[in-house]
Structures are given as structure tokens and as C-alpha cells.
Amino acid sequence: MSTTARQGIAGPLATVDVDRSDAAYRAWLKEAVRKVQADANRSADTHLLRFPLPEAWGIDLYLKDESTHPTGSLKHRLARSLFLYALCNGWIRPGRPVIEASSGSTAVSEAYFAKLIGVPFVAVMPRTTSPEKCRLIEFHGGECHFVDDPMKMYDESASLAAETGGHYMDQFTYAERATDWRGNNNIAESMYQQLKLERYPEPAWIVATAGTGGTSATIARYVHYMQHDTRICVPDPENSCFFDGWTQNDPLAHSDCGSRIEGIGRPRMEPSFVPGAIDRMMKVPDAASVAACRALEQAIGRKAGGSTGTGLWSALKIVSEMVAEGRTGSVVTLLCDPGDRYLDKYYSDAWVSAQGLDLTPYARTIDTLLATGTWQEPGA
């Protein structure tokens, strides 16, 4: 420690110069940041898939296929951003665990990055999380810590971090601020680059579901920043409070139980959900989400998770409105993660039946739309 004298009006004033730099830590930090950035550098962009619609409609529907990331989901982008943010803030330290509250996919991706930089990882998650996601977390070297009440994930994660001297990543707070929404090949910039040679390069709508809310915030901010005319729609599943909080302008809105659609929907208004940035929300029944998942497989031969079904249902409804109004253009939604993580849920007739879900009227709505161009409300 060194001291220097500084002359002030009242006479000499001693100042203390504290140097907390540590050569070994700085070397570790530099290498950790390099490894995380290298993961992005060697990863190709994700594909933009076309969902087949009748040519006569003059409407193109795309799915941004985030399942092709190294950890198989949209959350790979988020986890990378969160790790860079926490590393550069000095929050992650060598040998100390990273802890996250997650319903699955974020934890899979964070386990991957924790292993990449050589720190332990603990995922705090609902006991109902799919076994396949738990297997993937453990495959990447992470540990699963279960809670019975989804609302207790936050406090349990903070307690574990305090007990172990680790870092609680807190995706629900930091998702919207860790991501560079102005560009830097974020998901929004990537979409627009890939649409450049399409017949409608500026989409009329982008549909993005919300778990943390970080993705919808990134896309909406980018759209406003670049002065595009694209509108942003956020679909919300059952047992989630985002729709009520948005429509009623209520930051204290909450739900008493967790979402059946893993990865999206929350029981409280999360700090990373930015209501003022988006243009529209839809409340989507869980049966509609599952029916849309299955319709996607029939249309393009790809299984996807329930959050993809939620987004696809809303995108198809928007398409039907465009057809009815005689408007042409493009709509983009997300393929968030692969369906093989949910074979025992959304693709299991036994699970669907046990949940009391009737997919038939929602499947009929989709079939009717694709055959006739009209939207028939389920049960009508």
C-alpha cells in the first residue's frame, strides 16, 4: 500500500491508494474471457427456416432456429452474455461456484460455460423440470438442486451463493442488461442480415416468447434503435403473469403456480422483462402451444419445445390477420430448443391427457388456417 500527500484548502490531506490487483487472478480472468469469446467466434450463425404457407397469400413465415447452438437452445446466447458480464464485473472467481435459478435451458448453457472456464455450477430448478434437461446439465458438469415451489428458486439461489462464496448469476435481473442490444451480431441483427435477400426483408412482426424477457427486450430495442417499422409481439403461456402485468400496467402482477411450458412464463414480473418496448401480447393456452409444436413437426419435420409452439401459435394468428386484411409481408418467430428434450411431455399423449389438455380444437384451428386462410377460434 502506498500513500501520497494531496494539498487542499485546509492543508495537507493524506490519501490512501489501495491496489487489489492480483497477477494470478488477472491472468485467469483474461483466459476465461478469451475462452468465452472464442466460443462465439467459432460458432456459425443459426439458420432461418421457412414455414410453408400458400404462395398466393404473399406472406412468408420464418423460424430462427436457435436449437443449433452448441448447447441446443436460444439460451446459449444469453449464457454467453451473462458469463462475459459477470467475469468483466469481477463477480466470478476461480474455484468458486456459479449458481443460477433456471427452469432448464439456461442452466444447460451456463453449465457448459462454467465447465469451459473451470468453475463449479449449480442449477436451482423446479422439481418438475424435464429429466433430459437435468441429464444435460450434469453432462456438462453441473449439479441440479431442486425446489418444490418455483417462487423459492430466487431465494434458494442467493442463499447457496452466500453459503459457498459463489456468484448467483440471476438471469432474471441481468438478461436485458448483459446483452448488447445495439448490434454485435445479437439475435435481432442476425435476423435482419439473414432477411436481406428475401422478398420482404423488413418483417412486419417478430414474435418472441419471454422467460427472463431479455430476448424480447433485445429485439425490441434493436428495432427501435435501427428505426425499423417491425412490431414486436410477446406471447405468454398459462400460469404466467407477464400478460396481466403488461395489460394492467402492474409491476407487482404475479401468478400462484409455475408455467407448464418450460423456459417461458414467470410467476412474477421479472426485472429483465421490459413492457414498454413491445407492441403486443397474446395469452396462449398451453394446449395451443402443444398443438403448434406438433403442427411444426408435420410442416417441416422438426420437433421443438413448448415455447416454440407458443410463439408459432401467435405467429400463425398474426398471419391469419394479415391474410384477412389483404396485407403481404414477413413474420419471424423463434425455434427455441429441440423437442427431444420433451418427449415425455409435449410429445407424450399420456402426459397431455394427465394434464387435462385437449389439443383437438387447437389443431383444427391450425389445419383450417393452412387450408383456407381463415382463423377459426378453438371451440367456435
Side-chain angles (χ1 to χ4, degrees), residues 333-351:
T333 187
L334 305 175
L335 198 165
C336 302
D337 62 356
D340 57 11
R341 296 181 177 183
Y342 310 98
L343 297 180
D344 60 340
K345 283 193 170 184
Y346 312 127
Y347 294 92
S348 166
D349 290 339
W351 182 87

PDB file of all heavy atoms in Angstrom, residues 333-351:
ATOM      1  N   THR A 333     -40.540 -15.814 -36.034  1.00  0.00           N
ATOM      2  CA  THR A 333     -40.625 -16.274 -34.653  1.00  0.00           C
ATOM      3  C   THR A 333     -39.407 -17.152 -34.371  1.00  0.00           C
ATOM      4  O   THR A 333     -38.494 -17.248 -35.198  1.00  0.00           O
ATOM      5  CB  THR A 333     -41.955 -17.012 -34.393  1.00  0.00           C
ATOM      6  OG1 THR A 333     -42.067 -17.305 -32.986  1.00  0.00           O
ATOM      7  CG2 THR A 333     -42.067 -18.299 -35.183  1.00  0.00           C
ATOM      8  N   LEU A 334     -39.356 -17.768 -33.204  1.00  0.00           N
ATOM      9  CA  LEU A 334     -38.158 -18.483 -32.766  1.00  0.00           C
ATOM     10  C   LEU A 334     -38.408 -19.972 -32.611  1.00  0.00           C
ATOM     11  O   LEU A 334     -39.446 -20.381 -32.093  1.00  0.00           O
ATOM     12  CB  LEU A 334     -37.677 -17.936 -31.414  1.00  0.00           C
ATOM     13  CG  LEU A 334     -37.418 -16.437 -31.329  1.00  0.00           C
ATOM     14  CD1 LEU A 334     -37.079 -16.059 -29.894  1.00  0.00           C
ATOM     15  CD2 LEU A 334     -36.286 -16.033 -32.257  1.00  0.00           C
ATOM     16  N   LEU A 335     -37.443 -20.775 -33.058  1.00  0.00           N
ATOM     17  CA  LEU A 335     -37.384 -22.185 -32.690  1.00  0.00           C
ATOM     18  C   LEU A 335     -36.373 -22.241 -31.548  1.00  0.00           C
ATOM     19  O   LEU A 335     -35.180 -22.177 -31.769  1.00  0.00           O
ATOM     20  CB  LEU A 335     -36.956 -23.046 -33.880  1.00  0.00           C
ATOM     21  CG  LEU A 335     -37.258 -24.545 -33.796  1.00  0.00           C
ATOM     22  CD1 LEU A 335     -37.126 -25.204 -35.173  1.00  0.00           C
ATOM     23  CD2 LEU A 335     -36.373 -25.270 -32.790  1.00  0.00           C
ATOM     24  N   CYS A 336     -36.892 -22.321 -30.327  1.00  0.00           N
ATOM     25  CA  CYS A 336     -36.058 -22.048 -29.143  1.00  0.00           C
ATOM     26  C   CYS A 336     -35.159 -23.201 -28.745  1.00  0.00           C
ATOM     27  O   CYS A 336     -34.008 -22.989 -28.347  1.00  0.00           O
ATOM     28  CB  CYS A 336     -36.952 -21.665 -27.964  1.00  0.00           C
ATOM     29  SG  CYS A 336     -38.002 -20.240 -28.290  1.00  0.00           S
ATOM     30  N   ASP A 337     -35.677 -24.425 -28.792  1.00  0.00           N
ATOM     31  CA  ASP A 337     -34.863 -25.586 -28.431  1.00  0.00           C
ATOM     32  C   ASP A 337     -35.485 -26.834 -29.031  1.00  0.00           C
ATOM     33  O   ASP A 337     -36.635 -26.819 -29.494  1.00  0.00           O
ATOM     34  CB  ASP A 337     -34.670 -25.700 -26.915  1.00  0.00           C
ATOM     35  CG  ASP A 337     -35.970 -25.893 -26.143  1.00  0.00           C
ATOM     36  OD1 ASP A 337     -37.058 -25.872 -26.755  1.00  0.00           O
ATOM     37  OD2 ASP A 337     -35.907 -26.062 -24.906  1.00  0.00           O
ATOM     38  N   PRO A 338     -34.736 -27.955 -29.061  1.00  0.00           N
ATOM     39  CA  PRO A 338     -35.225 -29.151 -29.744  1.00  0.00           C
ATOM     40  C   PRO A 338     -36.266 -29.916 -28.930  1.00  0.00           C
ATOM     41  O   PRO A 338     -36.247 -29.914 -27.698  1.00  0.00           O
ATOM     42  CB  PRO A 338     -33.952 -29.988 -29.927  1.00  0.00           C
ATOM     43  CG  PRO A 338     -33.058 -29.566 -28.806  1.00  0.00           C
ATOM     44  CD  PRO A 338     -33.359 -28.109 -28.571  1.00  0.00           C
ATOM     45  N   GLY A 339     -37.160 -30.592 -29.639  1.00  0.00           N
ATOM     46  CA  GLY A 339     -38.236 -31.331 -28.979  1.00  0.00           C
ATOM     47  C   GLY A 339     -37.802 -32.606 -28.304  1.00  0.00           C
ATOM     48  O   GLY A 339     -38.551 -33.155 -27.493  1.00  0.00           O
ATOM     49  N   ASP A 340     -36.594 -33.101 -28.610  1.00  0.00           N
ATOM     50  CA  ASP A 340     -36.174 -34.358 -27.973  1.00  0.00           C
ATOM     51  C   ASP A 340     -35.941 -34.189 -26.478  1.00  0.00           C
ATOM     52  O   ASP A 340     -35.788 -35.178 -25.754  1.00  0.00           O
ATOM     53  CB  ASP A 340     -34.943 -34.962 -28.656  1.00  0.00           C
ATOM     54  CG  ASP A 340     -33.750 -34.017 -28.697  1.00  0.00           C
ATOM     55  OD1 ASP A 340     -33.789 -32.969 -28.029  1.00  0.00           O
ATOM     56  OD2 ASP A 340     -32.781 -34.334 -29.412  1.00  0.00           O
ATOM     57  N   ARG A 341     -35.938 -32.946 -25.988  1.00  0.00           N
ATOM     58  CA  ARG A 341     -35.849 -32.712 -24.542  1.00  0.00           C
ATOM     59  C   ARG A 341     -37.207 -32.900 -23.863  1.00  0.00           C
ATOM     60  O   ARG A 341     -37.284 -32.867 -22.638  1.00  0.00           O
ATOM     61  CB  ARG A 341     -35.345 -31.294 -24.275  1.00  0.00           C
ATOM     62  CG  ARG A 341     -33.936 -31.033 -24.771  1.00  0.00           C
ATOM     63  CD  ARG A 341     -33.471 -29.622 -24.466  1.00  0.00           C
ATOM     64  NE  ARG A 341     -32.080 -29.417 -24.880  1.00  0.00           N
ATOM     65  CZ  ARG A 341     -31.391 -28.315 -24.696  1.00  0.00           C
ATOM     66  NH1 ARG A 341     -31.974 -27.272 -24.104  1.00  0.00           N
ATOM     67  NH2 ARG A 341     -30.136 -28.208 -25.101  1.00  0.00           N
ATOM     68  N   TYR A 342     -38.261 -33.046 -24.656  1.00  0.00           N
ATOM     69  CA  TYR A 342     -39.622 -33.054 -24.111  1.00  0.00           C
ATOM     70  C   TYR A 342     -40.450 -34.232 -24.614  1.00  0.00           C
ATOM     71  O   TYR A 342     -41.673 -34.144 -24.672  1.00  0.00           O
ATOM     72  CB  TYR A 342     -40.335 -31.747 -24.484  1.00  0.00           C
ATOM     73  CG  TYR A 342     -39.549 -30.510 -24.170  1.00  0.00           C
ATOM     74  CD1 TYR A 342     -38.799 -29.863 -25.156  1.00  0.00           C
ATOM     75  CD2 TYR A 342     -39.525 -29.986 -22.877  1.00  0.00           C
ATOM     76  CE1 TYR A 342     -38.067 -28.733 -24.869  1.00  0.00           C
ATOM     77  CE2 TYR A 342     -38.789 -28.854 -22.584  1.00  0.00           C
ATOM     78  CZ  TYR A 342     -38.063 -28.221 -23.589  1.00  0.00           C
ATOM     79  OH  TYR A 342     -37.332 -27.092 -23.291  1.00  0.00           O
ATOM     80  N   LEU A 343     -39.791 -35.312 -24.968  1.00  0.00           N
ATOM     81  CA  LEU A 343     -40.534 -36.468 -25.490  1.00  0.00           C
ATOM     82  C   LEU A 343     -41.500 -37.029 -24.459  1.00  0.00           C
ATOM     83  O   LEU A 343     -42.538 -37.595 -24.809  1.00  0.00           O
ATOM     84  CB  LEU A 343     -39.552 -37.557 -25.950  1.00  0.00           C
ATOM     85  CG  LEU A 343     -38.618 -37.177 -27.110  1.00  0.00           C
ATOM     86  CD1 LEU A 343     -37.710 -38.341 -27.457  1.00  0.00           C
ATOM     87  CD2 LEU A 343     -39.418 -36.724 -28.331  1.00  0.00           C
ATOM     88  N   ASP A 344     -41.153 -36.858 -23.179  1.00  0.00           N
ATOM     89  CA  ASP A 344     -42.024 -37.356 -22.113  1.00  0.00           C
ATOM     90  C   ASP A 344     -43.076 -36.333 -21.697  1.00  0.00           C
ATOM     91  O   ASP A 344     -43.863 -36.575 -20.788  1.00  0.00           O
ATOM     92  CB  ASP A 344     -41.195 -37.756 -20.891  1.00  0.00           C
ATOM     93  CG  ASP A 344     -40.400 -36.597 -20.305  1.00  0.00           C
ATOM     94  OD1 ASP A 344     -40.178 -35.598 -21.035  1.00  0.00           O
ATOM     95  OD2 ASP A 344     -40.001 -36.669 -19.132  1.00  0.00           O
ATOM     96  N   LYS A 345     -43.098 -35.192 -22.366  1.00  0.00           N
ATOM     97  CA  LYS A 345     -44.081 -34.148 -22.054  1.00  0.00           C
ATOM     98  C   LYS A 345     -44.925 -33.825 -23.282  1.00  0.00           C
ATOM     99  O   LYS A 345     -45.956 -34.432 -23.526  1.00  0.00           O
ATOM    100  CB  LYS A 345     -43.378 -32.897 -21.525  1.00  0.00           C
ATOM    101  CG  LYS A 345     -42.912 -33.022 -20.072  1.00  0.00           C
ATOM    102  CD  LYS A 345     -42.510 -31.660 -19.514  1.00  0.00           C
ATOM    103  CE  LYS A 345     -42.286 -31.742 -18.008  1.00  0.00           C
ATOM    104  NZ  LYS A 345     -41.982 -30.409 -17.434  1.00  0.00           N
ATOM    105  N   TYR A 346     -44.484 -32.865 -24.060  1.00  0.00           N
ATOM    106  CA  TYR A 346     -45.320 -32.322 -25.126  1.00  0.00           C
ATOM    107  C   TYR A 346     -45.577 -33.310 -26.264  1.00  0.00           C
ATOM    108  O   TYR A 346     -46.537 -33.150 -27.020  1.00  0.00           O
ATOM    109  CB  TYR A 346     -44.693 -31.036 -25.676  1.00  0.00           C
ATOM    110  CG  TYR A 346     -44.272 -30.093 -24.578  1.00  0.00           C
ATOM    111  CD1 TYR A 346     -42.984 -29.568 -24.512  1.00  0.00           C
ATOM    112  CD2 TYR A 346     -45.166 -29.738 -23.564  1.00  0.00           C
ATOM    113  CE1 TYR A 346     -42.598 -28.723 -23.492  1.00  0.00           C
ATOM    114  CE2 TYR A 346     -44.782 -28.894 -22.530  1.00  0.00           C
ATOM    115  CZ  TYR A 346     -43.496 -28.394 -22.498  1.00  0.00           C
ATOM    116  OH  TYR A 346     -43.108 -27.562 -21.475  1.00  0.00           O
ATOM    117  N   TYR A 347     -44.744 -34.337 -26.366  1.00  0.00           N
ATOM    118  CA  TYR A 347     -44.943 -35.348 -27.408  1.00  0.00           C
ATOM    119  C   TYR A 347     -45.475 -36.653 -26.838  1.00  0.00           C
ATOM    120  O   TYR A 347     -45.528 -37.662 -27.538  1.00  0.00           O
ATOM    121  CB  TYR A 347     -43.634 -35.574 -28.176  1.00  0.00           C
ATOM    122  CG  TYR A 347     -43.236 -34.331 -28.946  1.00  0.00           C
ATOM    123  CD1 TYR A 347     -42.398 -33.375 -28.372  1.00  0.00           C
ATOM    124  CD2 TYR A 347     -43.735 -34.082 -30.211  1.00  0.00           C
ATOM    125  CE1 TYR A 347     -42.064 -32.214 -29.055  1.00  0.00           C
ATOM    126  CE2 TYR A 347     -43.411 -32.931 -30.906  1.00  0.00           C
ATOM    127  CZ  TYR A 347     -42.572 -32.002 -30.314  1.00  0.00           C
ATOM    128  OH  TYR A 347     -42.253 -30.845 -31.004  1.00  0.00           O
ATOM    129  N   SER A 348     -45.868 -36.630 -25.583  1.00  0.00           N
ATOM    130  CA  SER A 348     -46.435 -37.805 -24.924  1.00  0.00           C
ATOM    131  C   SER A 348     -47.935 -37.627 -24.756  1.00  0.00           C
ATOM    132  O   SER A 348     -48.385 -36.724 -24.038  1.00  0.00           O
ATOM    133  CB  SER A 348     -45.778 -38.003 -23.547  1.00  0.00           C
ATOM    134  OG  SER A 348     -46.518 -38.917 -22.763  1.00  0.00           O
ATOM    135  N   ASP A 349     -48.708 -38.482 -25.398  1.00  0.00           N
ATOM    136  CA  ASP A 349     -50.162 -38.407 -25.260  1.00  0.00           C
ATOM    137  C   ASP A 349     -50.586 -38.668 -23.817  1.00  0.00           C
ATOM    138  O   ASP A 349     -51.585 -38.102 -23.344  1.00  0.00           O
ATOM    139  CB  ASP A 349     -50.839 -39.421 -26.191  1.00  0.00           C
ATOM    140  CG  ASP A 349     -50.693 -39.028 -27.660  1.00  0.00           C
ATOM    141  OD1 ASP A 349     -50.443 -37.841 -27.940  1.00  0.00           O
ATOM    142  OD2 ASP A 349     -50.814 -39.921 -28.524  1.00  0.00           O
ATOM    143  N   ALA A 350     -49.818 -39.510 -23.113  1.00  0.00           N
ATOM    144  CA  ALA A 350     -50.143 -39.803 -21.715  1.00  0.00           C
ATOM    145  C   ALA A 350     -49.982 -38.552 -20.855  1.00  0.00           C
ATOM    146  O   ALA A 350     -50.822 -38.259 -19.994  1.00  0.00           O
ATOM    147  CB  ALA A 350     -49.248 -40.926 -21.193  1.00  0.00           C
ATOM    148  N   TRP A 351     -48.908 -37.799 -21.080  1.00  0.00           N
ATOM    149  CA  TRP A 351     -48.693 -36.559 -20.323  1.00  0.00           C
ATOM    150  C   TRP A 351     -49.778 -35.545 -20.645  1.00  0.00           C
ATOM    151  O   TRP A 351     -50.328 -34.899 -19.737  1.00  0.00           O
ATOM    152  CB  TRP A 351     -47.319 -35.976 -20.644  1.00  0.00           C
ATOM    153  CG  TRP A 351     -46.996 -34.726 -19.878  1.00  0.00           C
ATOM    154  CD1 TRP A 351     -46.427 -34.644 -18.638  1.00  0.00           C
ATOM    155  CD2 TRP A 351     -47.233 -33.358 -20.290  1.00  0.00           C
ATOM    156  NE1 TRP A 351     -46.289 -33.325 -18.256  1.00  0.00           N
ATOM    157  CE2 TRP A 351     -46.777 -32.513 -19.239  1.00  0.00           C
ATOM    158  CE3 TRP A 351     -47.781 -32.788 -21.430  1.00  0.00           C
ATOM    159  CZ2 TRP A 351     -46.851 -31.122 -19.318  1.00  0.00           C
ATOM    160  CZ3 TRP A 351     -47.866 -31.395 -21.508  1.00  0.00           C
ATOM    161  CH2 TRP A 351     -47.413 -30.579 -20.457  1.00  0.00           C
TER     162      TRP A 351
END
